[in-house]
Amino acid sequence: MKVLLAEDQTMVRTALASLLRLEADYEVDEAVDGAAAQQQLQQENYDILLTDIEMPHLSGIELVQWVRKHQPQLKTVIITTFNRAGYIKRAVDAGVSGFLLKDAPIDTLIGSLQKVCAGERVISNELLLQALGQDDPLTEKERKALRLAGQGMSTQAIAQALFIAEGTARNYLSEAISKLHASNRVEAARIAHQKGWL
């Protein structure tokens, strides 16, 4: 089984890759973030993409969305420390094949990868029930603007980064602030991040 592991934390990535390589059936390539994984996916064929969620340049969920559009045959599994309802729901909506927590035993990970390769979907019932609790009110455009605002970018810089007019960026942020009942963009970004909506 050929696996691409996308994880920006070096120690976690190398440890996970080493554990998987101890299993005779696994050939593992590593990517330092979502953008690097996307490049590798365009150059080589894999059976499974195993990805973290929070990574620079391209999040794990954005990567899964890209895979679904460009390589729908590729199985995707998210492995994360975050069991936030928003993340789980967005991952399921993106068509992820599996959603696992990093504190799961390695046997659980290996068993889950085998099930995913056999065509099953592996998401624990506990996580699924949690995901059903809250709906993400943000649009994709509002989410992108809010993510940049959370990094401290000005409205002008957000507009330039998203190739939109400054007024449009302001509107996206205002909508997000209103939907999240926040007093400003920083609070809105914090709320959305805690919920897993960024």
Side-chain angles (χ1 to χ4, degrees):
M1 191 185 303
K2 195 169 180 186
V3 178
L4 177 59
L5 172 60
E7 164 65 69
D8 62 314
Q9 294 181 359
T10 305
M11 197 178 292
V12 174
R13 186 181 66 250
T14 53
L16 256 177
S18 297
L19 285 169
L20 286 173
R21 288 182 187 122
L22 289 174
E23 300 292 316
D25 299 341
Y26 292 89
E27 181 185 334
V28 184
D29 287 347
E30 300 173 39
V32 297
D33 60 33
Q38 189 181 55
Q39 282 186 327
Q40 279 179 250
L41 288 170
Q42 292 175 77
Q43 293 164 2
E44 287 195 57
N45 292 322
Y46 293 93
D47 300 304
I48 290 185
L49 166 67
L50 183 60
T51 179
D52 188 17
I53 286 184
E54 290 193 350
M55 297 183 291
H57 310 302
L58 197 68
S59 75
I61 291 174
E62 290 168 332
L63 186 57
V64 168
Q65 289 168 336
W66 180 88
V67 166
R68 188 177 184 185
K69 187 174 180 181
H70 299 280
Q71 298 183 7
Q73 78 290 350
L74 178 64
K75 309 287 187 194
T76 53
V77 176
I78 285 179
I79 183 164
T80 183
T81 52
F82 304 106
N83 62 346
R84 297 174 184 150
Y87 279 156
I88 301 158
K89 187 167 190 322
R90 285 172 58 213
V92 169
D93 289 346
V96 76
S97 309
F99 192 103
L100 307 168
L101 294 174
K102 285 180 184 171
D103 61 3
I106 189 67
D107 292 348
T108 301
L109 171 62
I110 288 162
S112 297
L113 291 179
Q114 288 168 345
K115 286 179 182 175
V116 164
C117 261
E120 293 181 46
R121 210 170 195 195
V122 182
I123 301 165
S124 81
N125 290 335
E126 178 191 338
L127 292 177
L128 272 177
L129 286 171
Q130 188 179 336
L132 295 173
Q134 296 177 320
D135 285 335
D136 178 357
L138 301 173
T139 66
E140 195 58 40
K141 290 173 182 176
E142 290 163 357
R143 184 177 296 114
K144 285 178 179 174
L146 205 53
R147 188 180 299 137
L148 295 174
Q151 295 169 11
M153 290 176 71
S154 68
T155 306
Q156 184 181 8
I158 291 168
Q160 288 173 347
L162 298 179
F163 305 104
I164 56 177
E166 197 171 333
T168 305
R170 199 174 290 111
N171 288 343
Y172 290 158
L173 291 170
S174 295
E175 283 294 315
I177 291 166
S178 172
K179 287 176 179 178
L180 299 176
H181 308 289
S183 54
N184 56 49
R185 64 174 72 185
V186 174
E187 187 186 4
R190 181 182 54 74
I191 291 167
H193 189 265
Q194 285 173 345
K195 300 274 191 185
W197 294 335
L198 290 188

